[in-house]
Amino acid sequence: MMRHLILCLLILPLLSACGYNQIQTNEEAVFSSWADVEATYQRRADLIPNLVETVKAYAAHEQETLQNVTAARASVGKATLSAKDLANPKQVEQFMQAQQQMSGALSRLLLVAERYPDLKASQNFRDLQHQLEGTENRINVARQRYNQAVKTFNSSIRTFPNNITNNMLLKLERKEPFKATAGSDVAPQVKF
């Protein structure tokens, strides 16, 4: 009995130095880091199309409002009414319709201007650029963290005494770091 106790007391320090738990912890860090990479990619997949559509919709709204003002202004310029035309109901009606179109377009523009003191498309585009940049930075950071976790894990299964534990008990394979794919040196283009 005493011999077993002494044997256990001698083996316990060896077990704590074998690296079994550290290897397991390092492998879990690899899995967790890869999940962060995937989550960041998913964020990009979810966020960017929605931002692009929002910017496109708002830019279209502004474009429509400004086009209406421009068209109304052009129709006002075409519909002139001289003093001698005041007796012609058709001429007066055309002039009044052009003026009403202009008034309607300007009131829509004023409404947009009241709600949005400066037309927002340029700000929306800047915000989109910031979101794109931030998203790509997050992806890069997640990839770097993953590669660091892979490096730590791979080192832990290849260095002594952990390599003995891995070879005898775990038999875990090296993990692959993130590598850029062919063509990834070209930035993706966002098209409107």
Side-chain angles (χ1 to χ4, degrees):
M1 174 89 160
M2 185 64 139
R3 222 181 292 168
H4 290 303
L5 183 61
I6 293 173
L7 186 60
C8 284
L9 289 174
L10 291 174
I11 292 176
L12 271 174
L14 293 175
L15 287 177
S16 67
C18 75
Y20 181 88
N21 289 336
Q22 189 61 51
I23 292 171
Q24 298 293 338
T25 301
N26 292 343
E27 186 177 39
E28 288 302 316
V30 169
F31 296 149
S32 175
S33 296
W34 183 248
D36 290 344
V37 170
E38 289 180 322
T40 308
Y41 280 138
Q42 186 63 49
R43 178 187 183 275
R44 176 173 63 180
D46 294 342
L47 177 68
I48 300 306
N50 292 331
L51 284 173
V52 169
E53 288 305 312
T54 301
V55 170
K56 281 172 63 175
Y58 197 88
H61 170 71
E62 288 182 8
Q63 182 179 4
E64 178 185 335
T65 302
L66 294 174
Q67 284 174 341
N68 288 343
V69 170
T70 303
R73 189 178 69 200
S75 68
V76 165
K78 290 178 185 173
T80 58
L81 189 64
S82 65
K84 65 179 181 170
D85 294 328
L86 289 174
N88 185 340
K90 188 176 177 186
Q91 288 285 102
V92 172
E93 181 64 24
Q94 286 176 346
F95 182 81
M96 293 305 292
Q97 283 180 349
Q99 293 301 325
Q100 285 175 340
Q101 281 182 325
M102 185 65 172
S103 294
L106 286 175
S107 66
R108 284 190 297 278
L109 181 63
L110 290 174
L111 182 62
V112 168
E114 285 174 12
R115 288 187 187 153
Y116 311 101
D118 57 338
L119 293 177
K120 301 287 187 194
S122 62
Q123 181 62 40
N124 287 346
F125 283 106
R126 280 194 294 275
D127 290 347
L128 175 61
Q129 288 172 327
H130 290 300
Q131 286 293 335
L132 288 170
E133 180 183 350
T135 297
E136 294 307 312
N137 285 341
R138 287 178 184 189
I139 290 169
N140 188 48
V141 167
R143 288 174 183 162
Q144 289 173 344
R145 288 180 181 159
Y146 169 75
N147 283 350
Q148 184 58 47
V150 166
K151 177 183 171 192
T152 301
F153 172 78
N154 288 345
S155 294
S156 73
I157 64 170
R158 296 182 69 213
T159 56
F160 182 80
N162 295 0
N163 63 342
I164 295 171
T165 302
N166 187 51
N167 290 336
M168 292 178 69
L169 297 175
L170 299 171
K171 301 185 185 331
L172 299 173
E173 298 292 322
R174 291 184 55 183
K175 307 296 184 210
E176 284 298 312
F178 179 84
K179 295 175 187 161
T181 57
S184 64
D185 55 333
V186 178
Q189 294 181 356
V190 177
K191 296 182 180 181
F192 292 98

